[in-house]
Amino acid sequence: MKIALISPPIMDDFWGEPRPIAMDAVRECPPYGIYLLQAVLRQAGHEALVIDLIADGSNSLKPYVHDLADCGLIGIAATSMSWPTACDVVSQIRDLQADIPIVLGGIHPTMFDRYILSTFPVDYIVRGEGEVALTSLCAALEAGRGIESVPNLSWKDADGRIFRNPAGSKIHKEDLGQYPIPDFGQLPMKIYKGLSIESSRGCVFDCSFCSTSYRRSWRGMPAEIFVDRLQEMMPQVERTELGMIHVIDDEFSMNPKRAIEITEVLRHRGLTASLVYDSRATDVLYDGFIPAIAPFTGQFLIGAECGYDAGLELIGKGTTTRILEDAARLLYRHHLSERADFSFILGLPWETAKEVRQTCSFASHLYATYGVRILLQWYCQIPGSRLWDADRAAGLVNETMYNDYGFFRDLYLFRAGVKLDPAEIWQISQSVEALQHMARIRHPDQIMVEYGHPEPIALYFPEFLMGPACDGLSNLREVASPPRGKTDPIQVDVIAHAPVSLDRPLRHFGV
């Protein structure tokens, strides 16, 4: 059976572009899941091809019309951020072939399978892990037998009735490493900054803002098995721009002892991999972790989130500002600070300007004192978190708001989450810009303070309108009752402002 697997990019149609443009143009690493499923399906005897639209930077299927013509099934993977592009891809497929079966996977279809099956012209949704479910679905379709026993499958019959098969068992940690590694040998040269690999799935925590799939659940491959996979993948790293390998785990160092074991195996085999990974401040402080991982670290991210302890407690992060600072200090001592990104979220739903400034001040302190890079990003209403779910229950948001391009700049979605008024946000942006200016002087060759002013605020609340402007109602009243005795023109001090930076942080979207 021939199967096409499509990975749509994150796109938007902002600033009046005639067609959507790619927002993830700086391509960190290939979409691991879609390439892994290609390898799994090939091992099962199917002809599987990947259409990597992220590498293309496009949502167009025109170059692949011939490849799609004789497929027995087309799979599309989607996050909430890439969901509008996935909808576009579904529409293109239906224009090409009205009856070809389409299966969706990924976190967004997993969350909203009932809604999607009832609204979009797709046939199946795999909820959660796809290695077993997709292979089972392909086997059933090829043999012409029923699909009722396919685990994790949601589907609709010819009459449009929707069915949900029970979820199967999660893949055991020992079995995660038994699947073939993805084949990145056909990647265009130097398109991605690095390759992608996983060593574990899940996270034992359940942070209130987080929308990753497997929370309160963690499965880590044994160290030897992970290094086997890493070693097998390393010859392909020459196809990348920076020669790094991104460990795409939610938290690579969730078990610091296992992470240290991985480094010991790497040393024993004489491997010199340059890894990019996510970690926790508490893991950084684990005895022996930093000295062990340092030689294999290209870049890593610590989700700091808040710069005050009450916020960290509300998030459920399991850390404190003291722990965060201790981690930054240790990294500085081991000359790793400039390879460390500390990521912070601004404007969490309970925050006022005071709390946001506390976070900015603490982040600034970490940068100025220890030289870590800081990422400051505004809270975004992305489905799947406890915060989003609470707002959905309150009738503020729902899944229909993510079907179309442009939700990143949607004023309603932004203000449903961030409670600060626009003038306060502009004031905070000005403060961060001052910090960025200082950082550019200190580190002229690096971006050490990464920040993007919120697009909805820039679009709908330009900075020069934040003061007491004489317009609107006051202008109407002026012409209705003109002032007496005034004949000379009054200069209005309004000038065109340079566009603010709307760049989003390159990593750590939390989906």
Side-chain angles (χ1 to χ4, degrees), residues 65 120 155 247 255 428 468-469:
V65 170
F120 294 88
W155 51 283
V247 185
N255 181 340
I428 289 165

Side-chain angles (χ1 to χ4, degrees), residues 226-245:
F226 169 66
V227 177
D228 287 344
R229 297 173 67 79
L230 180 66
Q231 187 170 4
E232 186 179 351
M233 182 180 289
M234 285 179 65
Q236 303 181 68
V237 79
E238 64 183 17
R239 307 192 69 82
T240 69
E241 181 184 358
L242 299 180
M244 294 182 177
I245 297 182

Side-chain angles (χ1 to χ4, degrees), residues 202-234:
C203 176
V204 299
F205 292 89
D206 184 18
C207 296
S208 61
F209 69 89
C210 184
S211 57
T212 54
S213 298
Y214 294 97
R215 283 160 281 173
R216 296 179 179 171
S217 166
W218 185 81
R219 291 162 286 159
M221 296 179 196
E224 288 276 357
I225 292 177
F226 169 66
V227 177
D228 287 344
R229 297 173 67 79
L230 180 66
Q231 187 170 4
E232 186 179 351
M233 182 180 289
M234 285 179 65

Side-chain angles (χ1 to χ4, degrees), residues 482-494:
R484 296 180 180 180
K486 294 186 177 181
T487 59
D488 294 331
I490 300 172
Q491 181 179 345
V492 179
D493 189 19
V494 176

